[in-house]
Amino acid sequence: MSLRIRRKGTKTALETTRTFATLFADMEIRQRLVMAQSVEAFRSTLLSAAKELAMDQSQWRERKASIHLSQAKEQIFGPNAWYPFRGLTEEFKRRLAVYPSDFTDGVNGHRTMQKLFSTVVFLYFACILPAIAFGVLNDDNTNGGINVRKVIIAQAIGGIFFSLFGGQPMIILLTTVPLAIYIKVIYKISEELGYDFFAMYACVGLFCQMFLVLYSATELCSLMKLATR
């Protein structure tokens, strides 16, 4: 009995869509396509870009497959000696030199105060409206445990903290739908088990904080070097 192996010659609709999305996500490729003068030039540019993408992905697979266990640490975490919180310490040293300019650049220069004022007004309304909306939603989901006032205060404190210690002052914290659903789930669990909602909510926050500290101490984000686009 003979088995015939049929090789796949075409891509599925999902694979084709993913390929085009990857190509169009590249700014350089988009610029080359925009500058095309004819349909044939557009096609040839798109075809050459697809070939370059396929070649890059093939080289990356070969390079990733050639990583040995003895070389994995150096390729992922770098040649320097590793110690806990190394990445955070090095990032702090790099950012320390330009940290003051993150704040002074907003008030120095031509018409910067006008731009600063308009940005503050815009961000105020952009942040306060979702806080009010989700505050009302959280108020209904928690029977008044977390209301609009608490959401606004928490968002203000978190925004100030992140602007000072988050690495750059443009980090904007907003209450989102997944967070509101998460709060509702925690409230239901605490009600069913007879636990205090705020104690349960604080424990969940501390539990998440433990993982964030662990990721920061071990530089697990460096594993993203092994991920492809």
Side-chain angles (χ1 to χ4, degrees), residues 116-132 152 155-156 172 174:
L116 177 64
F117 179 76
S118 61
T119 303
V120 169
V121 173
F122 170 77
L123 289 179
Y124 173 79
F125 289 102
C127 295
I128 196 68
L129 294 179
I132 295 175
I152 294 177
Q155 187 166 304
I172 301 173
L174 292 175

Side-chain angles (χ1 to χ4, degrees), residues 1-199:
M1 181 178 179
S2 61
L3 296 177
R4 296 181 59 187
I5 300 177
R6 183 177 180 181
R7 299 187 63 180
K8 184 178 178 181
T10 58
K11 289 187 175 182
T12 63
L14 179 60
E15 292 173 341
T16 304
T17 305
R18 186 181 301 169
T19 301
F20 277 103
T22 304
L23 291 174
F24 293 148
D26 193 310
M27 184 178 298
E28 181 181 354
I29 295 176
R30 291 202 309 268
Q31 185 65 26
R32 287 160 53 187
L33 293 174
V34 170
M35 298 300 294
Q37 300 296 328
S38 62
V39 176
E40 292 299 329
F42 186 91
R43 290 177 179 174
S44 61
T45 302
L46 191 61
L47 182 60
S48 62
K51 291 181 179 179
E52 294 174 2
L53 176 63
M55 186 178 299
D56 292 340
Q57 291 180 348
S58 177
Q59 292 176 355
W60 170 251
R61 293 191 188 97
E62 293 177 358
R63 186 168 65 252
K64 186 170 64 173
S66 63
I67 295 178
H68 299 287
L69 185 61
S70 59
Q71 301 173 341
K73 178 180 177 297
E74 182 177 350
Q75 295 191 20
I76 296 175
F77 297 103
N80 298 328
W82 182 88
Y83 52 89
F85 296 100
R86 185 194 66 171
L88 186 63
T89 304
E90 293 179 352
E91 178 68 16
F92 178 77
K93 292 178 180 179
R94 288 192 297 266
R95 291 294 306 164
L96 187 61
V98 295
Y99 180 79
S101 65
D102 291 338
F103 299 91
T104 57
D105 289 346
V107 295
N108 295 329
H110 179 62
R111 299 180 61 184
T112 52
M113 293 302 298
Q114 179 181 352
K115 297 177 182 178
L116 177 64
F117 179 76
S118 61
T119 303
V120 169
V121 173
F122 170 77
L123 289 179
Y124 173 79
F125 289 102
C127 295
I128 196 68
L129 294 179
I132 295 175
F134 290 114
V136 174
L137 180 61
N138 291 329
D139 192 3
D140 294 337
N141 293 336
T142 60
N143 291 328
I146 298 179
N147 51 25
V148 177
R149 179 183 177 184
K150 293 179 181 178
V151 170
I152 294 177
I153 293 176
Q155 187 166 304
I157 295 175
I160 294 174
F161 185 86
F162 268 76
S163 66
L164 296 177
F165 303 102
Q168 52 102 0
M170 292 302 295
I171 298 177
I172 301 173
L173 300 181
L174 292 175
T175 305
T176 58
V177 175
L179 183 58
I181 298 175
Y182 198 60
I183 292 175
K184 182 179 180 180
V185 172
I186 295 175
Y187 180 79
K188 285 188 175 182
I189 293 176
S190 61
E191 286 292 313
E192 292 176 358
L193 299 179
Y195 297 148
D196 181 72
F197 167 66
F198 290 107

